[in-house]
Amino acid sequence: MKKLSLVFLILISFSLVKASTIITSINLDKEIYEPGDLAKINVSVFSNEEKYFFPELEINFKKYKSELIKTIGGEKTYTFYVRVPEKEGNYNLNVYLSDDKSTTLQKSIAIIVKPLLRQFILNLEPLEQTAIPGEIINYNLSITNIGSEKERIILEDYNIQVYNLPKDYIDVEPMETKKMVLSVKIPEELKDGVYEFKLKACSTYNWNCENISSSLGIYHRTNNEIVFHSTTSENIGLSKTLTPSFYIKNNNEFIENYVLKLTLPDSWFEEPTLLNQDYVLTKEFLLNPGEEANIYFELTPQVLGTHLLKYELFSERSDNALISGVLNVKVRDANKITGAFINMTKTKWFYGTILIMSLIVLGIIIYFLYKENKEYPYSKNEVKVPEIPKMNIVKDNKELDEWKKRV
């Protein structure tokens, strides 16, 4: 490989020595020119002698002549200016160098002519939003460069300040989209009404500016009313269905999106406890102004004892719970005696086993003690029966009559 490179360099050197003058390269100042733009052309010429040439540049059948140039013993770069065509397209630029004799040097390069488009698109979401004074809300902003040149964008806010607005320029390449989240804290002094959240984006290259805005409704939230009707405060049987219900009414003047969360206690998960239930149960619902709803949950507890269920009501306008609380759930067995024993053996199996074994041993001891003192039920002691005197038998009626008179 090194040998081939050496041979190649020797051939180039030999050709340069042999040729007295040659155009080595042509360089352009831009990759793409706008129609009618002025192009700067740099032409490098190598010569091993001093010589004069007449330069001529031709593009789209139009010729541009320049002043006489003089070569030196080595390479030198010359600069020429050419007006590119007004029509979009690809063109060949031909460079000619002619002396006063018959020598003419020629080299060509392609030139692209295309209108440069500087344009960007703004997108702001959501275009409508409501908030309360002091609340922090977010907007999603995207900047798309649909032009053919790099854009450098600077952002400005208006009546409502964006506290994380980029302070530096935003560079956006052609066909690139830059996305960002803008956070706005609603001023406390704003009164109820509809305002305009407005942004301004400007290109620093040609100071072309675009505006975009979003409607922002400001209102003071009234207290939400939430009333609970639930059987959870009473006792419930083991493995029975528990149905806590929540009554919610929207007292605001705007549509509200609510999220009701019910957190199940950790004590329910010591063993398999619930059928087809998750640790946190969630229900989402929307209420119009003045509308009310009853929200139900169905639970099947399988662990005895008293447990706590935490509930929380959220709105999409706030990260904090609007209303929260705890419900008491007492799970009992239907048979109190056997239930207590079952509960003991389920939750305290070790002590239950010891108790059962103790009862068995005690029963065996009592059995043998009772067996030693117990007599056979059919064995009898011999009892002497006293002799009964024989009775006189009445032989005739005469004696019987005398006996009746005595009696």
Side-chain angles (χ1 to χ4, degrees), residues 375 379-384:
E375 296 180 354
S379 63
K380 296 183 179 180
N381 294 328
E382 184 176 356
V383 179
K384 293 182 179 182

Side-chain angles (χ1 to χ4, degrees), residues 31-32 114-121 143-153 170-178 205:
E31 294 182 359
I32 301 176
K114 186 178 181 180
L116 296 181
L117 179 62
R118 290 193 178 275
Q119 186 176 357
F120 58 90
I121 298 176
I143 305 173
T144 303
N145 181 7
I146 61 173
S148 58
E149 292 294 305
K150 177 182 177 180
E151 286 288 1
R152 177 167 288 178
I153 307 296
I170 302 171
D171 291 327
V172 188
E173 298 294 335
M175 307 311 296
E176 182 185 13
T177 299
K178 287 288 183 68
Y205 291 111

